[in-house]
Amino acid sequence: MKSGGAPRRLEGLAFVAPFLLLYGVVLIWPLLMGIGISFHRADLFGAREWIGLGNYATALADPVVHQAIGNTLLLALLIVPPLTALALLLALALNRATRGAAVFRGIFFSSSVLSVTIVTLIWRFILTPDAGLLAVAADALGREPLPFLSDQALVIPAIAITTIWWSLGFPIMLFLAGLQQVPADVYEAAALDRAGRWTTFRHITLPAIRRTLLLVVMLQTVGQLQLFGQAQLLTGGGPGGGARTIVLAIFEVAFGRWERGYATALAEILFAMILVVTLLQYWLVTRREDAG
């Protein structure tokens, strides 16, 4: 038995080696290179000067970065919980083997296949205060159109609504996949015990899809912390930086000011944010499961 262990391990390593090599080249090596560049004053033309933690000190003192991080966290807070709850409710409603449910599943998923450019064009047509659909509706009701894209108090909610509409399809599909794994006889037993809908959802459905719920929350959190296209195409980060996200700030620093070292430091800060938030979410959920 022992003599055959080493060849089997070598065979397993041979199967996973191509993936590990590709993973290292595409993800691990750029990450390490980025960490190295973040300690330099570097531009897009290859010039470098070692400055240690200078870029990170500049970022910690930069009010633009503070605003961008605040906007990013606020957008994630406005998007992830409503998106998760709405996707779960729609998945519960569409978890039926009927032709109508199949049609609506396709309708809700269709927005997810659109590019961010098309999505922002659609919502600019809806939100533009002078000729958008909402402006026309407000005029018909005799009210002043709201400046969704030019008011700092409205631009973040407008981007959040746009993103929820765009991102709804994929979480619905994940929840449907989880719901279809719940045995039907469990629901039949609950019905025989005269359990109500809320009791059934709380004690049967929710525990059964807890892992799917965690997956949706983590995926959406990671995605929304990297939000870029909606803010850049809808308002360019304005007005007054009110819609500038951290990724948009990185883009402006790297390709507007050509400060590659500083932009890379901001990217590493974003990476640390995503890592901390996702690990915290996972820890909270697993702790609750262990306590239960």
Side-chain angles (χ1 to χ4, degrees):
M1 295 296 294
K2 293 183 179 180
S3 61
R8 291 185 63 85
R9 284 195 295 270
L10 291 176
E11 290 177 2
L13 181 60
F15 278 109
V16 300
F19 168 77
L20 292 177
L21 179 61
L22 184 63
Y23 186 84
V25 171
V26 174
L27 293 176
I28 302 302
W29 178 247
L31 175 63
L32 298 177
M33 287 290 293
I35 294 174
I37 295 173
S38 70
F39 296 124
H40 293 78
R41 180 181 290 112
D43 57 31
L44 292 178
F45 301 101
R48 288 192 189 183
E49 178 187 354
W50 173 267
I51 57 173
L53 296 175
N55 286 323
Y56 293 95
T58 301
L60 293 177
D62 191 345
V64 173
V65 174
H66 298 167
Q67 184 187 34
I69 291 176
N71 291 338
T72 302
L73 294 176
L74 179 59
L75 277 167
L77 186 62
L78 291 177
I79 293 171
V80 176
L83 175 60
T84 304
L86 184 58
L88 179 55
L89 288 175
L90 289 171
L92 290 170
L94 297 175
N95 188 30
R96 294 179 174 86
T98 63
R99 181 175 300 178
V103 171
F104 278 105
R105 286 197 294 266
I107 292 173
F108 282 115
F109 187 74
S110 61
S111 63
S112 301
V113 303
L114 300 176
S115 70
V116 66
T117 305
I118 296 175
V119 170
T120 51
L121 286 175
I122 292 172
W123 280 91
R124 281 186 69 88
F125 178 70
I126 294 173
L127 299 172
T128 301
D130 52 355
L133 290 179
L134 292 181
V136 173
D139 288 337
L141 295 174
R143 297 187 178 184
E144 189 72 19
L146 294 176
F148 287 102
L149 303 181
S150 58
D151 189 327
Q152 284 193 350
L154 298 175
V155 65
I156 291 290
I159 293 175
I161 293 172
T162 301
T163 306
I164 290 172
W165 179 85
W166 183 34
S167 308
L168 194 58
F170 185 59
I172 290 177
M173 293 298 106
L174 289 178
F175 280 130
L176 282 171
L179 290 170
Q180 290 172 5
Q181 300 302 314
V182 183
D185 55 357
V186 178
Y187 290 115
E188 294 174 359
L192 291 175
D193 290 337
R194 297 183 179 179
R197 290 186 177 181
W198 171 247
T199 302
T200 302
F201 173 76
R202 182 180 177 184
H203 294 287
I204 298 176
T205 304
L206 195 58
I209 63 169
R210 184 171 296 172
R211 293 289 180 176
T212 304
L213 180 62
L214 174 61
L215 176 64
V216 169
V217 171
M218 292 181 67
L219 287 177
Q220 290 303 318
T221 301
V222 171
Q224 304 316 325
L225 288 176
Q226 300 176 76
L227 189 146
F228 168 69
Q230 302 92 299
Q232 202 272 337
L233 294 173
L234 277 175
T235 67
R244 180 185 289 112
T245 63
I246 185 64
V247 177
L248 182 54
I250 294 170
F251 173 82
E252 292 173 348
V253 170
F255 299 102
R257 292 156 46 183
W258 294 0
E259 297 179 14
R260 186 163 62 115
Y262 186 35
T264 307
L266 294 179
E268 299 304 331
I269 292 174
L270 174 61
F271 171 75
M273 286 174 51
I274 293 173
L275 184 63
V276 169
V277 170
T278 52
L279 289 178
L280 180 61
Q281 289 175 336
Y282 183 78
W283 177 75
L284 289 174
V285 172
T286 53
R287 181 187 180 190
R288 184 175 300 178
E289 287 182 351
D290 294 339

